[in-house]
Amino acid sequence: QVQLVESGGGLVQAGGSLRLSCAAPERTFSTYAMAWFRQVPGKEREFVAGINWSGGLTDYADSVKGRFTISRDDAKNAVYLQMNSLKPEDTAVYYCAADRTPSPSTWSGMDYWGKGTLVFVSS
């Protein structure tokens, strides 16, 4: 079982920035695709950003393109989500997820999930 631990959430004003981190103490982390999802209470969890095993391919939800950047550091078994120009509608619990498939064709089949970190953007 892969345990993913998110950090970096918090309260920020609209227009501000936050960087989320996800630690995965797993020796096979470098072969996994990684992604960030978010969920607002009462709504379905939605895809935010994904990165393949090599870091050579990234994917973003339209709502965050140009504002969020996903990256990974395999030496640290970590994946990051840099969030800039934050908006109140970005408020959600953000989840890190891992897929054993190195370059998945879809982000709907994640194998492992973290417990989430709350991001609150005030207007």
Side-chain angles (χ1 to χ4, degrees), residues 4-118:
L4 305 176
V5 180
E6 303 96 336
S7 61
L11 173 64
V12 63
Q13 288 188 333
S17 299
L18 280 176
R19 189 176 84 150
L20 304 184
S21 299
C22 173
E26 167 62 46
R27 60 187 174 93
T28 62
F29 170 82
S30 62
T31 67
Y32 293 170
M34 301 295 297
W36 289 94
F37 290 73
R38 66 187 182 188
Q39 187 171 25
V40 175
K43 295 188 177 181
E44 291 188 357
R45 189 175 299 183
E46 64 174 359
F47 169 78
V48 175
I51 188 166
N52 75 335
W53 70 279
S54 69
L57 292 176
T58 58
D59 190 17
Y60 297 92
D62 288 342
S63 59
V64 307
K65 280 182 181 176
R67 299 188 298 122
F68 291 9
T69 302
I70 188 170
S71 61
R72 63 188 299 155
D73 184 342
D74 289 345
K76 297 182 178 179
N77 283 352
V79 64
Y80 307 100
L81 185 67
Q82 178 66 44
M83 305 185 295
N84 299 328
S85 302
L86 283 161
K87 305 175 181 180
E89 51 263 42
D90 294 318
T91 295
V93 176
Y94 283 71
Y95 297 90
C96 176
D99 192 327
R100 291 192 298 262
T101 303
S103 292
S105 57
T106 173
W107 300 103
S108 62
M110 309 306 288
D111 295 301
Y112 308 107
W113 294 87
K115 294 184 178 181
T117 185
L118 175 63

